[in-house]
Amino acid sequence: MNSNPLVSIVLASYNMGHYLPESVRTVLAQTYENIEVIIIDDGSTDDTEEQIKPLLADSRLRYIKQENQGQPKAKNNGIKACKGEYIAFCDGDDLWAPDKLELQLPLFKQDPDVGVVYSEVSYIDDKGNPLDKEQPYERYSGMVTDKLILKNFIPFGTAVVKKQCFDDMGLFDENLPMGIDWDLWLRFSTRYKIMYTPAKTYIYRIWPGQMSSNYRGRYHHAELIMNKFIRNYPGVLSQKLINRAWSDTYNSKGMAIAKAEQTIKEPLSNIVTALRHDIKYIPAWKSLVKIIIRRTR
């Protein structure tokens, strides 16, 4: 591996003129200097272009404006424009820690089979104030397909990816408007090791109305992604693990709906479906008890 490889950073953005310049500045401020930054403006109708113009004096920055095509195509167009040996991402409303690449790149040197290095994440609100938010998932390293099919524990923006992964396994699925990172990580995990560092190198901004709050859409696309992966990679997962994954998905979906909509009938149906897939899945039994207690109150 080149001792000082070029790293390409893709920022695919739509109507993020208010936040994007700060995001770009944190990427350009990396202590690791051999970088190029590619902004894909996915047909923004706000003042994104005007906001970015003052930053274009930096020769490491490229600004590409296209007609609105959606985030998978925008990210793929960014990847296609990359020249680096490694590719990383930053959403237009998020931030990078200054030593992100300096901390993560050395993990690739430890093992040639490593394709993705990801990290821990911290959170801010829409005004940039720190948020104390509990990390929802346990993190894993190595050949992680068995863990990844149960939970997408890789915070997308934290990942640095060997470009060879995209060359070998393909880009983002442009037919998926949501969950494109989980689909990508599952594919990559069948051939490459995925490594974790606990350093908080990515700052995720939480603000009202962002796509991540669309829980129904998220679970719908999770089901599509699981079906697609099981179909395209037969034999990678045991039937027992597939059953457990479906049980976990339906249980999580049921409880998300129950919490958000304060309803019982649909969550109960989802939890029963979860138990049909895996009768021994303890979290589903716990959810069932919670739903029954709520119903009898």
Side-chain angles (χ1 to χ4, degrees):
M1 186 184 79
N2 186 335
S3 61
N4 188 38
L6 177 66
V7 179
S8 302
I9 301 100
V10 175
L11 288 97
S13 179
Y14 175 72
N15 285 348
M16 286 291 166
H18 179 63
Y19 294 127
L20 186 60
E22 184 182 10
S23 298
V24 174
R25 290 189 186 98
T26 66
V27 173
L28 290 171
Q30 288 296 293
T31 54
Y32 182 90
E33 296 181 351
N34 192 19
I35 64 173
E36 63 170 2
V37 182
I38 299 161
I39 299 173
I40 303 294
D41 183 347
D42 190 34
S44 295
T45 57
D46 65 355
D47 62 345
T48 291
E49 191 166 1
E50 289 72 24
Q51 292 288 343
I52 289 301
K53 276 182 180 178
L55 300 175
L56 295 179
D58 192 317
S59 61
R60 298 173 297 170
L61 182 61
R62 276 187 284 163
Y63 176 75
I64 301 171
K65 186 161 187 177
Q66 63 180 34
E67 293 184 1
N68 183 260
Q69 299 178 49
Q71 65 157 327
K73 288 186 179 181
K75 285 181 168 63
N76 282 345
N77 287 342
I79 293 168
K80 292 172 185 175
C82 290
K83 300 175 182 177
E85 186 176 338
Y86 296 90
I87 298 176
F89 301 89
C90 184
D91 285 340
D93 51 346
D94 298 336
L95 310 173
W96 273 20
D99 56 353
K100 174 178 173 59
L101 295 177
E102 186 179 349
L103 289 170
Q104 290 182 243
L105 285 176
L107 274 73
F108 287 99
K109 295 181 181 180
Q110 296 178 8
D111 189 332
D113 292 329
V114 172
V116 180
V117 173
Y118 73 105
S119 75
E120 203 47 78
V121 61
S122 58
Y123 300 89
I124 56 175
D125 65 17
D126 57 338
K127 296 179 177 59
N129 301 310
L131 293 175
D132 186 14
K133 183 172 167 33
E134 184 178 351
Q135 306 303 337
Y137 304 131
E138 188 173 349
R139 315 296 191 193
Y140 299 94
S141 289
M143 300 301 292
V144 297
T145 309
D146 286 4
K147 303 293 186 182
L148 197 55
I149 192 64
L150 297 172
K151 299 288 184 185
N152 181 13
F153 52 80
I154 303 173
F156 169 66
T158 72
V160 180
V161 185
K162 193 179 289 183
K163 186 177 182 293
Q164 182 182 343
C165 293
F166 292 105
D167 295 339
D168 291 347
M169 308 293 289
L171 306 182
F172 291 105
D173 185 341
E174 296 181 358
N175 294 313
L176 290 171
M178 295 182 70
I180 59 173
D181 57 325
W182 189 35
D183 172 78
L184 192 76
W185 305 144
L186 281 169
R187 282 187 276 132
F188 288 0
S189 73
T190 63
R191 188 176 300 182
Y192 293 95
K193 291 180 181 177
I194 295 176
M195 303 302 293
Y196 167 70
T197 173
K200 293 183 177 180
T201 74
Y202 194 82
I203 301 101
Y204 182 88
R205 191 187 304 270
I206 297 176
W207 50 274
Q210 62 193 146
M211 183 179 288
S212 58
S213 64
N214 182 1
Y215 58 91
R216 282 191 175 272
R218 188 166 66 248
Y219 282 105
H220 169 69
H221 286 90
E223 292 170 34
L224 294 178
I225 290 165
M226 288 175 65
N227 275 317
K228 173 190 169 188
F229 183 75
I230 293 166
R231 180 179 65 250
N232 291 344
Y233 292 89
V236 170
L237 303 171
S238 69
Q239 188 58 52
K240 181 178 179 180
L241 186 57
I242 291 171
N243 291 340
R244 175 58 55 90
W246 281 119
S247 185
D248 180 81
T249 297
Y250 279 106
N251 178 59
S252 299
K253 178 182 179 180
M255 295 310 291
I257 293 171
K259 180 180 179 180
E261 301 178 17
Q262 297 298 304
T263 185
I264 292 174
K265 184 177 180 180
E266 186 179 357
L268 183 60
S269 175
N270 280 304
I271 293 165
V272 170
T273 301
L275 290 169
R276 284 175 179 163
H277 280 283
D278 187 349
I279 195 69
K280 296 181 180 180
Y281 190 49
I282 300 300
W285 283 109
K286 291 181 178 179
S287 297
L288 182 62
V289 171
K290 290 179 183 178
I291 293 295
I292 291 173
I293 291 174
R294 180 180 298 178
R295 185 176 183 179
T296 55
R297 281 178 178 173

